[in-house]
Amino acid sequence: MPELRDLELLIRSSVPIIVVETHEEPRAVEAFKRLALTRVRRPLFRWTATEGLQRIDIEAPPQRHNAKPIELLAQIKASRQAAIYVLLDFHPFLEDPVHVRMLKDVALANHEVDNTLALVSHRVSIPGELTRFCAHVDFAVPDRERLELMIREEANQWSKQHPGCRIKTERRILDRVIDSLSGLPLDDARRLARGAIRDDNALTEHDLPEVMKAKFELLNQGGVLGFAFDTARFADVGGLERLKHWLEIRKRAFTEEVPLAGLDPPRGILLLGVQGCGKSLAAKAVAGTWGVPLLQLDFGALYSKFHGETERNLRSSLNAAEVMEPCVLWIDEIEKSISTDDHDSGTSRRILGHLLTWLAENESRVFVVATANDIESLPPELLRKGRLDEVFFVDLPDSQTRKKIFEIHLRKRELAVDEFDLERLAQASEGFSGSEVEQVIVSALYAAYAQKARPGSDHLCEEMARTRPLSVLMAERINRLRSWAAARTVPAS
């Protein structure tokens, strides 16, 4: 347990306040108890607002008269014997200036009485007055060996409860379940593994989406990330052959636990292009093709009126994505999310700086797919190699691609493709984007049903004749975008 070594070092170094942010409260208390009994040999006290102060390295009754924080801190200040005080869920009381002052008094007197105060909670926001007296300790999550041992313990426990029965699984599935549980505290991982085992008395591929979804819900308490496990595959995307090939040759390097010799896992891509040409669908399809979850980062939900909270939300979201690895992190219309603004106290610039640093230093298997429509709004730092692997330009579909798009959407609506003249439809849809082709089909179906007629090519052509595509309405802007992308990006098709 590496946290034991860290805690012992901080206690012996006379750090006045140790901050432990964890959901595994019993594990944290047990770690301090082991230290107090075997290594540092100091009295150990635990405090809660309900039970007050209680010495726990020996048998002792709780002191309920010290349940109020001000009484607790007064007793610690008055004590002349060095001890360790583990304060559970003390974080709400850090908003009281009197409590903050008393904690500071205890810390300043540390050279006289070598007390150690441990603040243990799921989240602790330290006031500025106390930061120089504090050190943070992170409790390591269980490694793969410990997770496998835990799963086998749960399987054996189930078998004892059901004599003659054994849990069915395969080595490949077991490894994927371990991947799915990686990054979670042991108690949370055990609960998810137990649920997967008891659901159908086996560990199968069908358990993976539910485990990943439950894991995501545990991590995404702030609601900033969206999650999808079942995502579109590239069979549902017309065109984009170069992008598909680029992703295919990098699939093994990204999805396999052991990296291929000499190859770094791919970091991500930027999909730039004309609106409605399939950038968002392609982002979803990357996750579907690679068989990993898709997370969508909602920058709108990141921003908070409280100073520093926006940056903290971003850090928490990126940390959650790292724990969910391997996964795809989709940032839609990124130019709207990270454009710098001089009127928000520098928040936008700090957000951009943090994101760029993370993109450059990220070593986890989190593949970023960012989409953008307006290249002029993107900061040049984002386009530098090393943050994203490649910039692809998604142009308006050509004739062959439009035929494929018509075929995909006709089949999706359970229409007989051979009853439609795809060649004629492709020619009539010159300049249409993929989303515009889909809307043409939808509108044509309504028209056909209103006429009580069987939908056909004539209905689609009539609808296209009434439609002015974006390539006509915004021709100048699209031409500028194409001109810029011609020598600076890789064509996706």
Side-chain angles (χ1 to χ4, degrees):
M1 299 176 68
E3 58 269 12
L4 277 179
R5 182 179 64 253
D6 295 340
L7 290 173
E8 181 181 4
L9 178 61
L10 292 175
I11 293 171
R12 293 190 183 281
S13 300
S14 299
V15 174
I17 302 174
I18 298 174
V19 179
V20 180
E21 291 186 322
T22 178
H23 289 279
E24 295 184 284
E25 181 182 288
R27 179 183 173 192
V29 173
E30 183 62 28
F32 281 103
K33 193 170 183 179
R34 286 180 60 180
L35 285 174
L37 291 172
T38 62
R39 300 191 188 182
V40 297
R41 300 205 175 268
R42 288 191 198 174
L44 176 66
F45 294 86
R46 177 184 62 203
W47 177 88
T48 66
T50 54
E51 296 296 321
L53 193 65
Q54 181 181 11
R55 187 167 177 180
I56 59 173
D57 59 317
I58 60 173
E59 290 290 335
Q63 305 171 23
R64 291 190 171 87
H65 62 280
N66 289 320
K68 293 183 178 180
I70 196 164
E71 297 166 345
L72 162 76
L73 296 174
Q75 176 164 323
I76 294 174
K77 281 183 65 177
S79 175
R80 298 292 93 190
Q81 180 184 17
I84 302 171
Y85 298 88
V86 179
L87 313 184
L88 303 179
D89 289 334
F90 197 82
H91 60 281
F93 307 110
L94 294 175
E95 298 179 2
D96 188 321
V98 175
H99 299 156
V100 174
R101 179 67 243 184
M102 294 183 76
L103 282 169
K104 189 173 182 179
D105 289 342
V106 172
L108 288 170
N110 186 258
H111 64 286
E112 300 174 8
V113 182
D114 194 10
N115 284 321
T116 300
L117 275 64
L119 305 180
V120 179
S121 184
H122 74 289
R123 176 181 282 191
V124 183
S125 297
I126 298 297
E129 304 95 311
L130 299 178
T131 52
R132 63 185 295 265
F133 303 106
C134 297
H136 291 254
V137 172
D138 294 322
F139 275 55
V141 295
D143 57 18
R144 294 181 62 82
E145 183 178 349
R146 182 68 186 91
L147 287 173
E148 180 170 347
L149 177 62
M150 177 273 294
I151 293 172
R152 294 188 182 280
E153 289 172 353
E154 290 299 319
N156 290 336
Q157 182 66 27
W158 183 90
S159 296
K160 288 179 182 178
Q161 297 171 354
H162 301 80
C165 300
R166 292 178 60 84
I167 297 298
K168 300 175 183 178
T169 191
E170 303 174 18
R171 182 72 235 184
R172 176 181 62 88
I173 300 299
L174 179 60
D175 287 338
R176 291 194 64 185
V177 172
I178 293 172
D179 283 341
S180 300
L181 297 175
S182 295
L184 286 177
L186 186 61
D187 289 345
D188 289 337
R190 183 182 298 276
R191 188 166 64 253
L192 297 188
R194 184 179 300 154
I197 289 172
R198 295 182 178 181
D199 178 50
D200 54 4
N201 308 335
L203 284 177
T204 67
E205 201 145 6
H206 298 295
D207 293 313
L208 297 176
E210 289 303 317
V211 171
M212 291 298 288
K213 183 178 180 181
K215 175 181 177 180
F216 172 77
E217 290 172 351
L218 287 170
L219 296 171
N220 189 41
Q221 299 297 321
V224 174
L225 290 173
F227 173 84
F229 194 89
D230 295 321
T231 49
R233 296 190 178 275
F234 265 7
D236 301 325
V237 183
L240 309 184
E241 287 79 10
R242 291 191 184 185
L243 173 60
K244 293 176 181 178
H245 177 69
W246 189 93
L247 292 167
E248 185 60 34
I249 62 177
R250 287 162 175 78
K251 179 178 180 178
R252 283 188 59 204
F254 181 76
T255 56
E256 294 189 3
E257 178 69 25
V258 179
L260 301 176
L263 291 179
D264 296 328
R267 294 174 176 271
I269 56 176
L270 173 64
L271 299 178
L272 171 69
V274 182
Q275 290 181 347
C277 289
K279 299 186 297 299
S280 298
L281 182 59
K284 298 175 184 178
V286 173
T289 300
W290 283 357
V292 298
L294 174 73
L295 308 183
Q296 183 176 4
L297 180 58
D298 182 0
F299 265 87
L302 278 178
Y303 284 86
S304 171
K305 64 180 180 180
F306 298 107
H307 180 73
E309 193 65 20
T310 300
E311 295 91 320
R312 181 167 188 159
N313 287 340
L314 178 60
R315 288 194 298 271
S316 298
S317 298
L318 296 177
N319 289 340
E322 290 175 1
V323 175
M324 289 292 292
E325 69 167 338
C327 66
V328 171
L329 181 63
W330 173 30
I331 307 176
D332 196 22
E333 296 188 341
I334 191 172
E335 74 274 22
K336 296 180 180 178
S337 307
I338 60 174
S339 57
T340 54
D341 189 338
D342 295 329
H343 304 290
D344 64 356
S345 303
T347 300
S348 297
R349 294 187 181 277
R350 292 194 298 273
I351 284 289
L352 173 60
H354 185 82
L355 179 63
L356 293 176
T357 300
W358 181 82
L359 287 172
E361 298 178 355
N362 173 39
E363 295 182 355
S364 61
R365 290 184 296 160
V366 178
F367 186 79
V368 175
V369 179
T371 63
N373 298 316
D374 184 6
I375 192 64
E376 296 176 358
S377 300
L378 284 175
E381 307 97 305
L382 181 67
L383 304 177
R384 180 177 66 80
K385 289 284 188 177
R387 292 194 168 106
L388 296 172
D389 299 316
E390 197 60 84
V391 179
F392 286 94
F393 182 67
V394 183
D395 204 348
L396 291 166
D398 59 20
S399 178
Q400 285 300 114
T401 303
R402 292 196 300 275
K403 286 175 62 176
K404 179 65 174 176
I405 294 171
F406 272 110
E407 182 179 346
I408 289 172
H409 288 294
L410 290 172
R411 290 190 189 281
K412 182 178 178 181
R413 288 159 179 81
E414 299 182 354
L415 296 171
V417 176
D418 55 4
E419 295 181 5
F420 291 82
D421 187 345
L422 296 182
E423 193 67 42
R424 177 189 173 193
L425 296 176
Q427 292 177 3
S429 59
E430 179 69 33
F432 280 66
S433 67
S435 63
E436 289 168 337
V437 166
E438 182 179 13
Q439 288 307 307
V440 161
I441 295 175
V442 171
S443 298
L445 289 180
Y446 273 112
Y449 294 147
Q451 300 168 12
K452 298 183 179 180
R454 187 175 183 84
S457 300
D458 289 342
H459 294 100
L460 273 66
C461 289
E462 289 171 6
E463 189 59 39
M464 283 186 280
R466 288 192 291 266
T467 303
R468 292 294 177 268
L470 196 65
S471 61
V472 174
L473 297 176
M474 304 185 69
E476 296 81 4
R477 184 174 176 180
I478 291 175
N479 288 335
R480 284 200 307 272
L481 179 60
R482 281 173 159 173
S483 178
W484 183 94
R488 296 177 176 90
T489 64
V490 176
S493 296

